[in-house]
Amino acid sequence: MRVIRHPHFLFLANWLQVYDYSILDYSMRYIFLFLLAVNFSVSASAIPQSKFSGTVSDAKTGERLPGVVIKIEGTSKGAKTNLNGEFNISVDPGSYSLRITYLGYKPKIVENAELKSGQTNHVDIVLETEAIQGQEVVVTTKIETETQTAQLLARKSASQMNDFISAEQIRRSPDATSSDALKRVSGVSIVDNKFVEIRGTSERYNNAVLNGAALSSTEPDKKSFSFDLLPANLIDNTVVSKTFTPDLPANFAGGLVQVNTVNFPDKFNARIGLTGSFNNVTTGKGFTSYQTGSTDWLATDDGTRDLPSGFPTESISNTKYTPEDIQRFGLLFKNNWKTNTITAPTNLGFALSLGDALQIFDNEFGYIASLSYKSSYDHAEIVRNNFNPDGTAATLRSGISDGYSVLWGGLLNLTYKVGDNSVLSLRNVYDKSADDKVYQLNGVDSANFFLDKETSLHYTERSLWSSQLTGEHLLENLGKTKIEWRLSRSVTDRSEPDLRQYSYLKQLGEPETTPYIAQIGYGADPRQGGRFFSDMNEKYNEAALDLTVPVSTTKIKVGGLIGDRERNFSARVLAYKIANPSASGMIMSSAIDTLFAADHIGPQALQIDEITNPTDQY
């Protein structure tokens, strides 16, 4: 058994033996990540490797060609492309000519290819079919990456109508999420900054897959995936298919968004990036917030918004509960309705990635790990008006929306090439996001002759975990038959804890000094002193097998897919109502920080009630 002594791992092992994690605060963690990345870069440069790498594809179809022979003239060095049409040849620094040959295609020579010490030169080679026997073609070219050109060629020769966006394009843009990147695809519109409409077709008729595996929805009332969950720096390319072919999932009418995460690099690299942004509307200005949790910066509620411990799991409207029980349940909730004003700081983010290709048991093993984080503050002025059928105004309201958003994600992809004809891959993605918004609207209710002030405290937390084990095998003895298989699982969670809404009003025409009165009635209304809790979990398991058989000048592809999807959703709808009409007048004029104080909860004033319906869970 070979012992792998890689300087990256030796440094990490020695460091872990002497460092006490109990004293590692948040700032030291970031410093550690930075020094670790720098050390990895220095370690890598101490072991210079020179090699050629690249891909070989068909000039007409753009399809990768397996089994192509690449030979370095004047040496005994050479290689064959694997089943993905990829090759790697390690060689001493110098100037070389590469000869590329493949049965049924015109030979090609790349001359004067310079290779420096420790350098990896990447070349994408395109071969033309050989209709008649002719002279050998010699091409002198400069070696450079042609990824974008290859994608345009694949788009041109694809059997369905589609569009691409590559990692190269994403790196040149300020896009933070996949939804930002998709805005740049023609025919694609983004709704609510996360849902995809393709050629004007509603989001529910469009599907999404990640590395070929179907993605679960993150919305309880929509059949659609939220693309703002995927950080853009984890994406290698995205293909938007606008027409159907039999090897694609058939349950879409508008289109299919195929997101593929980054693969391992040809050589070791470590990247770390820090970002910051500001705008003159939000940064450094007053920002409306409220009592939040200590771990909101991790897109995770620390329990501040959970249903109180001791609150019944069944509806409190059950007749078995006495008035004393109901009063006790109402007192379990915190009096956390008041908003406050802070100064919005600068938006911050970072991205860290590590990747390498190693030789293990004479086969190539590649890995890439990535972590990204982004937090942002957003202020918007909003207007919400309703009109009667005759065009007259029913309600005219304007106000603000202040939101704090966090998105972080991690990726770990492992690939092991067994010889030239088999590849095994394990791809894992985990993303977590949270949106915390405060809405405040002031306006006129003309229908009821009121001036009103509405406030909503809205926190939503979402997560996605996706894992796929895949295999690709080329059977040369069976006419170069290609077998592809995939086992995958994705899990999405969505939590909306303690959505709070309340409003104050007074009659039109009253003096400005007249106080506003809390709008709470004798029946529970979730919009008036309401508290809403919901949880959703969806699991999707999938197995797929594809078989591609070359027949003469064409190929026949057959396959099958089986999937199992399970979703669970539940909600609790609670609100306060007036329990004692004689005491309500004085209490209703209380400010929001004292309206739901402990001495106002009980038979003498306000009482909590539950209005959850049986249809609020499925």
Side-chain angles (χ1 to χ4, degrees):
M1 179 176 178
R2 298 173 65 184
V3 178
I4 304 172
R5 296 186 176 275
H6 202 284
H8 318 155
F9 304 129
L10 292 177
F11 164 77
L12 181 59
N14 293 335
W15 197 93
L16 292 174
Q17 290 176 0
V18 300
Y19 202 92
D20 181 8
Y21 273 93
S22 63
I23 62 172
L24 188 63
D25 61 12
Y26 293 129
S27 60
M28 288 301 297
R29 292 181 190 177
Y30 292 126
I31 295 173
F32 161 64
L33 290 174
F34 175 76
L35 293 178
L36 185 61
V38 172
N39 182 84
F40 278 5
S41 299
V42 174
S43 299
S45 64
I47 308 178
Q49 286 186 332
S50 305
K51 64 179 179 180
F52 292 107
S53 69
T55 62
V56 183
S57 58
D58 186 289
K60 289 185 177 180
T61 66
E63 181 181 6
R64 299 284 182 87
L65 299 175
V68 179
V69 176
I70 300 95
K71 189 176 185 304
I72 300 180
E73 294 191 324
T75 73
S76 60
K77 299 284 187 177
K80 289 172 61 179
T81 58
N82 60 22
L83 73 166
N84 290 321
E86 302 168 338
F87 69 89
N88 286 286
I89 307 174
S90 297
V91 66
D92 294 332
S95 179
Y96 299 97
S97 294
L98 306 181
R99 179 184 294 271
I100 301 96
T101 57
Y102 191 52
L103 183 63
Y105 289 81
K106 297 178 182 179
K108 178 176 283 191
I109 295 179
V110 177
E111 294 184 336
N112 302 323
E114 294 289 340
L115 190 63
K116 298 179 180 179
S117 177
Q119 181 185 28
T120 296
N121 273 346
H122 185 89
V123 58
D124 292 323
I125 301 166
V126 177
L127 296 182
E128 296 181 355
T129 55
E130 189 173 32
I132 58 174
Q133 184 68 33
Q135 296 294 321
E136 184 174 284
V137 178
V138 177
V139 179
T140 302
T141 181
K142 178 183 178 182
I143 295 181
E144 58 183 16
T145 302
E146 299 174 0
T147 305
Q148 194 65 18
T149 303
Q151 285 199 359
L152 291 173
L153 180 61
R155 176 185 177 185
K156 177 182 176 182
S157 59
S159 57
Q160 75 269 20
M161 185 185 297
N162 54 33
D163 259 304
F164 294 85
I165 186 167
S166 66
E168 182 181 357
Q169 292 173 282
I170 294 174
R171 284 194 295 269
R172 292 200 296 256
S173 68
D175 301 331
T177 67
S178 60
S179 62
D180 296 331
L182 283 167
K183 294 176 183 177
R184 306 179 187 279
V185 179
S186 61
V188 174
S189 302
I190 304 298
V191 179
D192 294 336
N193 204 38
K194 54 187 174 182
F195 303 121
V196 167
E197 284 189 358
I198 299 177
R199 296 185 298 175
T201 306
S202 172
E203 64 269 13
R204 69 171 287 105
Y205 300 109
N206 304 304
N207 278 8
V209 297
L210 179 65
N211 297 322
L215 285 168
S216 304
S217 173
T218 55
E219 302 299 313
D221 52 359
K222 286 180 180 287
K223 178 188 170 292
S224 55
F225 178 72
S226 299
F227 283 92
D228 61 337
L229 256 179
L230 294 173
N233 67 297
L234 303 185
I235 299 173
D236 182 66
N237 63 79
T238 301
V239 181
V240 180
S241 299
K242 302 175 182 178
T243 55
F244 173 72
T245 56
D247 58 344
L248 299 178
N251 56 337
F252 74 85
L256 174 70
V257 181
Q258 305 174 67
V259 182
N260 299 298
T261 55
V262 293
N263 290 312
F264 68 90
D266 296 324
K267 61 180 181 179
F268 174 79
N269 68 58
R271 296 178 180 177
I272 185 169
L274 300 175
T275 62
S277 65
F278 69 92
N279 64 73
N280 59 357
V281 176
T282 307
T283 309
K285 304 294 180 63
F287 186 86
T288 307
S289 184
Y290 61 97
Q291 181 183 344
T292 59
S294 60
T295 55
D296 283 8
W297 66 280
L298 287 174
T300 303
D301 180 55
D302 62 358
T304 298
R305 303 174 179 89
D306 287 348
L307 272 168
S309 177
F311 196 85
T313 56
E314 60 181 348
S315 175
I316 63 172
S317 61
N318 193 311
T319 55
K320 75 175 186 179
Y321 294 114
T322 65
E324 289 75 18
D325 292 330
I326 300 298
Q327 179 180 359
R328 178 167 50 85
F329 298 151
L331 290 171
L332 293 174
F333 289 93
K334 298 177 182 177
N335 182 21
N336 53 0
W337 298 79
K338 184 181 180 181
T339 60
N340 58 281
T341 301
I342 63 173
T343 300
T346 303
N347 303 328
L348 296 174
F350 77 87
L352 171 70
S353 66
L354 302 171
D356 201 0
L358 312 171
Q359 290 292 322
I360 298 180
F361 303 119
D362 297 322
N363 291 304
E364 190 172 9
F365 170 78
Y367 72 89
I368 186 165
S370 180
L371 178 67
S372 64
Y373 177 89
K374 172 180 173 287
S375 66
S376 61
Y377 293 81
D378 179 70
H379 170 85
E381 296 182 0
I382 56 178
V383 175
R384 292 183 179 175
N385 299 331
N386 293 319
F387 295 90
N388 298 314
D390 61 0
T392 58
T395 59
L396 300 174
R397 296 186 177 95
S398 62
I400 57 97
S401 167
D402 284 348
Y404 171 62
S405 300
V406 174
L407 170 65
W408 64 270
L411 174 146
L412 176 63
N413 287 353
L414 309 174
T415 300
Y416 188 61
K417 297 181 179 179
V418 184
D420 292 330
N421 297 331
S422 292
V423 176
L424 300 175
S425 299
L426 179 63
R427 298 177 176 181
N428 303 276
V429 175
Y430 182 80
D431 299 306
K432 191 75 179 287
S433 75
D435 296 297
D436 195 2
K437 290 184 176 292
V438 176
Y439 298 96
Q440 291 184 329
L441 289 168
N442 301 330
V444 179
D445 184 345
S446 301
N448 298 302
F449 304 101
F450 286 132
L451 293 173
D452 57 17
K453 296 181 179 181
E454 299 181 355
T455 301
S456 175
L457 313 179
H458 195 173
Y459 178 85
T460 305
E461 186 179 305
R462 297 171 297 160
S463 68
L464 163 69
W465 171 67
S466 177
S467 182
Q468 300 105 31
L469 177 63
T470 64
E472 300 178 32
H473 312 279
L474 182 67
L475 307 180
E476 291 190 347
N477 296 332
L478 293 178
K480 295 188 177 179
T481 297
K482 186 177 181 180
I483 297 175
E484 300 171 273
W485 57 269
R486 178 179 71 250
L487 300 173
S488 65
R489 178 179 176 84
S490 70
V491 179
T492 56
D493 287 287
R494 184 182 190 275
S495 176
E496 195 173 5
D498 207 7
L499 164 61
R500 281 154 279 170
Q501 299 181 84
Y502 61 89
S503 64
Y504 281 74
L505 54 83
K506 69 178 180 179
Q507 290 288 338
L508 272 172
E510 291 189 350
E512 291 187 6
T513 55
T514 302
Y516 281 77
I517 304 298
Q519 190 177 0
I520 296 179
Y522 295 101
D525 184 341
R527 296 168 300 177
Q528 317 300 339
R531 312 188 84 133
F532 176 82
F533 301 80
S534 72
D535 288 286
M536 191 203 77
N537 172 269
E538 181 170 311
K539 302 181 181 71
Y540 182 72
N541 300 315
E542 185 179 273
L545 177 67
D546 290 324
L547 185 68
T548 305
V549 183
V551 178
S552 185
T553 59
T554 187
K555 293 182 179 181
I556 298 175
K557 185 176 183 180
V558 296
L561 179 148
I562 183 171
D564 176 73
R565 190 184 302 274
E566 177 186 343
R567 171 185 282 203
N568 291 284
F569 174 81
S570 63
R572 302 287 296 274
V573 188
L574 306 166
Y576 290 92
K577 65 180 182 180
I578 296 174
N580 184 0
S582 63
S584 63
M586 180 178 60
I587 293 175
M588 293 303 107
S589 60
S590 302
I592 191 60
D593 56 339
T594 59
L595 178 62
F596 300 107
D599 57 344
H600 289 174
I601 306 301
Q604 76 281 4
L606 301 178
Q607 177 179 306
I608 196 162
D609 194 11
E610 182 159 4
I611 45 179
T612 305
N613 295 316
T615 54
D616 289 331
Q617 61 180 4
Y618 61 85

